[in-house]
Amino acid sequence: MAAVTQGRVALRHRLAERGIDRQLLLLGPALLFVVTLFIYPFFYGIGLSFQPEQGGPLAAYRSFFSDAYERGTLTTTLGLSLPVALLNVGASVPIAYRMRGRFRGKRLLTTLLVVPITLGTVLTAQGLLNFLGPTGWFNRTLMSAGLTDEPVRLTHNYWGVFFSLVITGFPFAFLLVLSYLSGIDPTLEKAAATLGAGWAQRFRRITLPLLAPGLATTFCLTFVLAFSVFPSAVLVGDPAGETRVISIAAWHAGYEQYDYPKASAIAVVMGLVELAVIAAVLGWRSLLYTGSTGGKG
């Protein structure tokens, strides 16, 4: 009995030396959850994309790329997601930079900026239709002031989806940028100020390089969120025309044509494009700055 106990203790010590202990068992439920809901469906979809009923294993991919109408959804989706991600990140930086310090009303202002998170895509789309639609207050105001003779078309087109993605995506970008800025040691800027550096110099030479990794991460997350747009493209866009994004093409293939291999192939293409953009952004980040981040940033 003593020998068995000693053997167990020795085994436990050997595992501990390799960083393996009982606490790792706590990862079991989380790992099972990830495998069941993410990893297995991911690889199942990849396998399904190579199993069309006819035409060989790559027939689903050829069907997508050979059809200009289907292939154009890639350009449409990138044309929406990239500008939205750039705008959300770019607008977040000056606002978050100003809100690092303490001032009266900061908590209220922060709450107002992140309220769109609670609205959801459908409610946001409904608000855009009511405010920016042909009979909304915006167009009524323009026509009442004599600035236009007919309503300005801001919904059921590119701009409707664009505004919806900005409204729903900005709070995430703002909170992330604010957290990264809060992690940068403020004494670095104070030291530069004592040496005579102006605001622009301090931001360009200290804050921005330290913030670059955080900006890259924020851009990637915001881009992925916008690239997977579906409800907004239907509710405030033109799903059969200028806002027929790639997610709509996947849905059409899977639930209207019942061509699941093609739908899976389109989903794989979506993932590959997202990975390519993320890789390019992270590569730019490594070229821009490779030093210490000085905190969360």
Side-chain angles (χ1 to χ4, degrees):
M1 189 67 179
V4 174
T5 303
Q6 291 179 354
R8 290 179 179 177
V9 172
L11 176 61
R12 190 180 305 166
H13 284 305
R14 287 197 296 269
L15 293 176
E17 291 175 355
R18 293 172 173 81
I20 303 174
D21 53 28
R22 291 182 178 180
Q23 294 179 356
L24 287 178
L25 296 177
L26 298 175
L27 297 177
L31 181 62
L32 180 62
F33 179 84
V34 171
V35 170
T36 304
L37 296 183
F38 294 96
I39 297 179
Y40 171 73
F42 175 75
F43 285 102
Y44 178 81
I46 292 178
L48 186 61
S49 69
F50 293 105
Q51 300 175 24
E53 294 183 358
Q54 55 185 0
L58 298 178
Y61 293 92
R62 286 197 299 268
S63 175
F64 174 76
F65 285 105
S66 62
D67 188 337
Y69 184 58
E70 299 286 339
R71 189 176 62 248
T73 57
L74 265 178
T75 305
T76 301
T77 311
L78 287 172
L80 276 167
S81 55
L82 288 175
V84 165
L86 287 171
L87 178 60
N88 282 336
V89 175
S92 298
V93 173
I95 299 175
Y97 186 82
R98 176 63 183 86
M99 293 184 63
R100 287 193 306 169
R102 296 182 178 180
F103 57 90
R104 180 175 297 180
K106 176 181 178 180
R107 184 172 299 178
L108 175 61
L109 181 57
T110 303
T111 302
L112 293 175
L113 290 174
V114 300
V115 157
I117 292 179
T118 66
L119 299 180
T121 304
V122 176
L123 190 58
T124 300
Q126 184 63 38
L128 286 173
L129 291 174
N130 291 334
F131 294 138
L132 300 180
T135 60
W137 67 266
F138 181 75
N139 276 302
R140 291 202 305 267
T141 302
L142 290 180
M143 290 187 289
S144 299
L147 299 177
T148 180
D149 296 329
E150 58 183 14
V152 179
R153 189 164 175 258
L154 295 174
T155 57
H156 298 300
N157 56 6
Y158 174 92
W159 292 111
V161 183
F162 183 88
F163 292 142
S164 177
L165 292 175
V166 169
I167 292 172
T168 56
F170 172 79
F172 294 99
F174 167 71
L175 290 175
L176 286 171
V177 172
L178 182 61
S179 67
Y180 282 114
L181 276 171
S182 300
I184 297 177
D185 190 350
T187 59
L188 297 174
E189 288 191 66
K190 293 179 181 179
T194 60
L195 296 175
W199 174 86
Q201 287 181 308
R202 296 197 304 270
F203 180 80
R204 182 168 59 89
R205 294 185 176 275
I206 297 176
T207 305
L208 186 59
L210 293 174
L211 187 60
L215 290 180
T217 302
T218 303
F219 177 86
C220 291
L221 294 176
T222 309
F223 166 76
V224 170
L225 182 67
F227 191 84
S228 59
V229 57
F230 182 86
S232 298
V234 176
L235 296 172
V236 290
D238 180 14
E242 59 180 312
T243 63
R244 190 174 190 270
V245 292
I246 192 170
S247 59
I248 294 179
W251 181 88
H252 177 77
Y255 296 101
E256 291 188 5
Q257 299 177 343
Y258 297 102
D259 189 348
Y260 297 113
K262 183 178 179 180
S264 299
I266 296 174
V268 171
V269 171
M270 288 180 62
L272 291 176
V273 173
E274 289 175 335
L275 288 175
V277 173
I278 291 173
V281 173
L282 295 182
W284 165 82
R285 182 189 68 174
S286 63
L287 291 176
L288 180 65
Y289 186 72
T290 58
S292 172
T293 60
K296 293 180 184 177

